[in-house]
Amino acid sequence: MKKYIILIIAFLFSALCLNVFAQTKSYPFEVLKTGKGKQSIIFIPGFASSGEVWNETKTAFEKDYSCYTLTMAGFAGVKPQPNPSFENWKTEIANYIKENKIEKPILIGHSMGGGLALAIAADYPELIKKIVVVDALPCLAALMDPSFKSKENNDCTAMTDQMTGMTDAQFLEMQKKTMPRLLADVSKMDMVVDWSVKSDRKTFGEMYCDFSNTDLRNKITGIKCPSLILLESYFINLKPSIEGQYKNLKTANFQYADKGLHFIMYDDTAWYLAQLNTFVKS
């Protein structure tokens, strides 16, 4: 009799564990929820960046809004997941919104995060209230090659091998050379470089390759919500090319920063926050 009781207890425990684990969903990002408000904002950082890139932005909105700040798996010290892809990340952010019953959030994305905001708003137009795209294009590769076409089965092995084959010192040196072309505020330089250095090298290579092969120029036809496109100051010189990429986004409101580089939230903070406030609160 005692043997059967032990078996029953073991069975019930197993069933409980299976039920608990079945309800625990693993998303390809970490989420920090702060603030309080009926309207939600979801912040999506850029390539190899931490959700901390939104710290100053969140401070401006947390009093009146519920803020969900993501850091993608494999970036800035967050544990990587197997086979990362732009498509999977897009789908899983949309799933997170649906499964957590976040009603009509505003998406704010920087760089690749801006690309994800565009893709989510295009594929799930009923989910999203507004989007803000901070210095991102529907197709980055087309800026240098307007005839660019995505490869269907893009092989990222060479890029991944290159990134994983570097020593830590080589990778750090590469990031130190790259970042001054993206960020003018030198006080933030070490922090942003550190996010890259703490990123999983395989994820870094795979997502760089995958995003470089992403073309949303036709997809954005599906976006119905108001869309604020904030662009770095230099892009004013490429206005026809930039806005040509966005020609299928009929709701686009283009604004060009007065100064600085790719990290607009650091390089032209007052202008950036003024643009966000006007758009988000309108």
Side-chain angles (χ1 to χ4, degrees):
M1 186 69 178
K2 186 178 178 183
K3 181 181 175 183
Y4 289 116
I5 291 170
I6 291 169
L7 283 171
I8 289 167
I9 291 170
F11 174 78
L12 290 173
F13 179 74
S14 298
L16 176 64
C17 287
L18 284 169
N19 189 44
V20 169
F21 286 122
Q23 292 175 19
T24 304
K25 164 89 177 180
S26 178
Y27 296 98
F29 46 82
E30 286 188 352
V31 185
L32 176 64
K33 187 184 178 191
T34 57
K36 196 172 181 181
K38 188 177 178 183
Q39 177 64 57
S40 296
I41 301 175
I42 297 177
F43 294 99
I44 312 172
F47 184 80
S49 286
S50 165
E52 292 173 16
V53 75
W54 301 113
N55 281 357
E56 293 84 353
T57 309
K58 282 192 302 178
T59 300
F61 290 98
E62 282 172 332
K63 185 181 174 184
D64 302 309
Y65 296 84
S66 293
C67 297
Y68 296 80
T69 304
L70 312 187
T71 302
M72 306 312 294
F75 286 163
V78 173
K79 186 180 177 181
Q81 291 188 3
N83 305 314
S85 72
F86 183 87
E87 187 68 18
N88 175 253
W89 285 4
K90 173 208 72 177
T91 303
E92 288 301 303
I93 293 170
N95 286 341
Y96 181 84
I97 293 167
K98 289 185 281 190
E99 288 159 13
N100 288 275
K101 297 180 170 54
I102 304 172
E103 188 180 350
K104 291 275 188 180
I106 297 167
L107 301 185
I108 302 180
H110 175 234
S111 192
M112 184 172 69
L116 286 164
L118 288 169
I120 294 162
D123 284 351
Y124 305 89
E126 75 289 349
L127 274 188
I128 308 303
K129 184 174 184 179
K130 298 178 180 179
I131 61 170
V132 180
V133 176
V134 184
D135 215 40
L137 301 176
C139 184
L140 187 60
L143 194 59
M144 291 148 286
D145 176 14
S147 64
F148 172 82
K149 291 192 187 320
S150 294
K151 297 173 187 171
E152 266 193 54
N153 298 301
N154 193 33
D155 185 0
C156 292
T157 306
M159 177 59 68
T160 305
D161 287 349
Q162 183 186 346
M163 292 298 120
T164 56
M166 287 184 176
T167 65
D168 291 347
Q170 287 171 332
F171 188 73
L172 174 60
E173 191 59 30
M174 182 182 79
Q175 293 309 300
K176 283 182 173 179
K177 286 179 178 176
T178 300
M179 216 52 72
R181 298 198 290 267
L182 303 174
L183 174 64
D185 184 348
V186 294
S187 72
K188 305 289 187 184
M189 196 70 69
D190 288 346
M191 177 181 69
V192 176
V193 167
D194 190 54
W195 292 338
S196 290
V197 170
K198 285 180 178 173
S199 295
D200 173 64
R201 214 77 69 71
K202 191 168 186 292
T203 304
F204 192 103
E206 287 176 343
M207 289 308 299
Y208 185 89
C209 173
D210 193 31
F211 187 53
S212 297
N213 190 52
T214 298
D215 186 351
L216 305 173
R217 287 176 291 180
N218 290 326
K219 183 187 282 287
I220 58 177
T221 307
I223 297 176
K224 308 303 177 194
C225 65
S227 307
L228 176 63
I229 315 298
L230 301 180
L231 296 156
E232 63 181 90
S233 57
Y234 177 74
F235 278 161
I236 195 73
N237 301 303
L238 305 172
K239 191 174 180 180
S241 297
I242 300 292
E243 297 187 13
Q245 283 204 22
Y246 276 105
K247 69 181 180 181
N248 289 323
L249 179 53
K250 304 305 180 186
T251 64
N253 169 14
F254 298 98
Q255 299 295 330
Y256 293 82
D258 297 320
K259 60 184 180 181
L261 301 172
H262 182 57
F263 283 82
I264 301 173
M265 66 283 287
Y266 294 146
D267 290 342
D268 201 353
T269 308
W271 175 87
Y272 158 81
L273 287 175
Q275 295 293 329
L276 277 190
N277 269 300
T278 301
F279 181 74
V280 169
K281 296 178 180 179
S282 63

